[in-house]
Amino acid sequence: MTSAEDVARLAGRALAATATAYLSGSGGTRYGAAVLTASGRIFEAGQYSSFNHQTGVHAEQAALVAAVAAGCPDVVALAVASTKARDFTRPCGTCRQIILEHAARCGRSIDVVMVGPAGTCDVRPIEALLPDSWLPA
């Protein structure tokens, strides 16, 4: 289980990463994510939106790839935040599947920190967010 201190750090970094989101137009919701590795390193990213709304890169995906590219694939937690202040920011179904597959590659569960209004957080293991999931044999 991710410590309260790590949850707060990750939530702050994910919120900060919303400022790096690359939107395809003015306005819109900005998403940011941060991942914590077993070695204690944090990698963050904002989403990269495409004009066609099909070929963009979600913040969660970008943060995971940043960790892997830096040689730190052993992720223990991932936080996701947005500029939408009404509710907790939850990963979409595609990102849930990618996080679950990454957890399987790491051989451990990944805690997902969903940041809400005023920095509140809802923390759940990825398996709870994607029950009856599909993974290759």
Side-chain angles (χ1 to χ4, degrees), residues 3-27:
S3 73
E5 179 182 307
D6 284 338
V7 167
R9 274 190 327 143
L10 271 179
R13 296 284 292 269
L15 280 167
T18 63
T20 68
Y22 194 76
L23 303 181
S24 57
S26 61

Side-chain angles (χ1 to χ4, degrees), residues 7-127:
V7 167
R9 274 190 327 143
L10 271 179
R13 296 284 292 269
L15 280 167
T18 63
T20 68
Y22 194 76
L23 303 181
S24 57
S26 61
T29 302
R30 293 174 168 272
Y31 292 89
V35 297
L36 173 67
T37 67
S39 67
R41 291 187 66 187
I42 295 178
F43 297 87
E44 62 193 51
Q47 96 262 25
Y48 182 92
S49 297
S50 67
F51 294 109
N52 64 24
H53 303 291
Q54 298 297 314
T55 56
V57 178
H58 297 195
E60 301 95 320
Q61 298 168 12
L64 283 169
V65 169
V68 171
C72 300
D74 195 4
V75 172
V76 298
L78 178 149
V80 60
S82 72
T83 56
K84 201 185 267 186
R86 293 186 302 272
D87 198 6
F88 289 101
T89 302
R90 302 189 186 287
C92 72
T94 299
C95 287
R96 291 175 192 209
Q97 180 66 35
I98 288 169
I99 296 165
L100 184 72
E101 289 180 20
H102 194 82
R105 286 185 178 119
C106 292
R108 71 169 77 237
S109 182
I110 294 175
D111 284 335
V112 179
V113 178
M114 296 162 284
V115 182
T120 57
C121 296
D122 180 8
V123 182
R124 298 185 197 182
I126 186 56
E127 296 81 8

